[in-house]
Amino acid sequence: MSARIIELRSDTFTKPTPAMFEAMMAAKVGDDVFGEDETVNALEQKTAKLFGMEAAIFCPSGTMTNQLAIRAHCIPGSEVICDEQSHVYIYEGGGIAVNAQSSVKLIRGENGKITAAQVGNVINNPNDIHQPVTRLVSLENTSNRGGGSIYDFKEIVSIKNVCNQNKLKLHLDGARIFNALAESTETPLDYGKIFDSISICLSKGLGCPVGSLLLGNTEIIKQTRRFRKLMGGGWRQAGFLAAAGIYALDHHVERLREDHRRAKEAGKLISKLSYVKDIYPIETNIIIFELDDTITAIEFVQKMNEKGIKCIPFGKQLVRMVTHIDLTDNDLEYLHHVLSS
Ligand SMILES: *Cc1c(COP(=O)(O)O)cnc(C)c1O
């Protein structure tokens, strides 16, 4: 086992920087279940304002914020349209069925992204009593299983038009929306105008230890406060965590392009390895590559582990690596060294 550990399994492994930690320790807190944690309130207001939305709710995870949104948009017997690789479908424990008592219409998109035409083709006939009522479209930007791919904003606008024509709500799983924004000309306000709800994670690229927010109109957010409580997600002096979020929004957004640069640099080398068959286009901080049949993903990950480099199998022949704030150029050099030896 190597003495040096380079964590590339996810951008969720980051630890607070000393300055973030200081901000957390200095937070003014209260009981958030009573609405009295002023730092939580400040974070919710700051984020809602940033995206031009009416309100926000701070939660422990992105799974919770996605699930709260889906539950709020769907009554039992509804149907949600999403890409077949969506986090809301494959990584949330079947939560759409459990929490919203609704079904899913899966679309095979490209790198996790679906089109307006595809959405238009799968909306159920609201007058046919056999079919669940299509009520929601959920998009993921950037797409995790799509390799950190970014939506073309024009496509999002077209999807919104289809939603309007068919009275559907539109949700964004924006766990990594700031990674998408860092590479686009659009602003958070542009997204706020389009979506009925937006979930963002502070615990991913922004480097916070814990936390996600759901943004929406006053009514939706009020409803989700009740749902969050019944899920056991009402929390008390969460301001210590909210302070990390405020700090990250002020200091860790601009730097995301550094993570993207490092991912692209690592990708260049990975794509040249003899046993790498294919690599997804690297648009942000996620690297996904396919191994040829001389080595499986589990074997590759094991070999890397022995050298102190942690990454994860993402399928039988697929491996994922994610860059983040705790990764330095020096770490990248070590990765190059290990891969080339
Ligand atoms: C990480 C992630 C989430 C939320 O995950 P939690 O671990 O519950 O915070 C949601 N969507 C996507 C695309 C993600 O990558």
Side-chain angles (χ1 to χ4, degrees), residues 61-63 66 87 92 140 142 144 173 175-176 201 203-204 212:
S61 74
T63 298
N66 280 332
H87 195 283
E92 299 187 4
E140 188 174 309
T142 65
N144 174 21
D173 177 354
R176 296 190 179 85
C201 288
S203 54
K204 297 271 168 82
S212 293

Side-chain angles (χ1 to χ4, degrees), residues 308-325:
I309 293 171
K310 296 196 169 183
C311 48
I312 52 171
F314 225 46
K316 190 168 168 289
Q317 296 303 121
L318 286 183
V319 176
R320 188 187 78 168
M321 294 180 174
V322 187
T323 60
H324 51 72
I325 187 170

Side-chain angles (χ1 to χ4, degrees), residues 184-254:
S184 325
T185 52
E186 283 78 31
T187 65
L189 291 175
D190 295 322
Y191 278 81
K193 281 192 199 108
I194 296 266
F195 287 92
D196 296 294
S197 52
I198 299 179
S199 161
I200 67 170
C201 288
L202 302 168
S203 54
K204 297 271 168 82
L206 296 187
C208 293
V210 175
S212 293
L213 288 131
L214 181 70
L215 321 180
N217 67 24
T218 312
E219 196 188 332
I220 285 277
I221 298 305
K222 187 175 168 208
Q223 213 182 344
T224 57
R225 275 190 205 284
R226 178 173 286 278
F227 295 151
R228 183 186 65 174
K229 190 76 182 95
L230 87 79
M231 282 179 165
W235 45 2
R236 304 296 179 178
Q237 281 76 278
F240 293 116
L241 297 169
I246 292 172
Y247 182 88
L249 289 169
D250 289 338
H251 298 96
H252 291 175
V253 173
E254 292 293 319

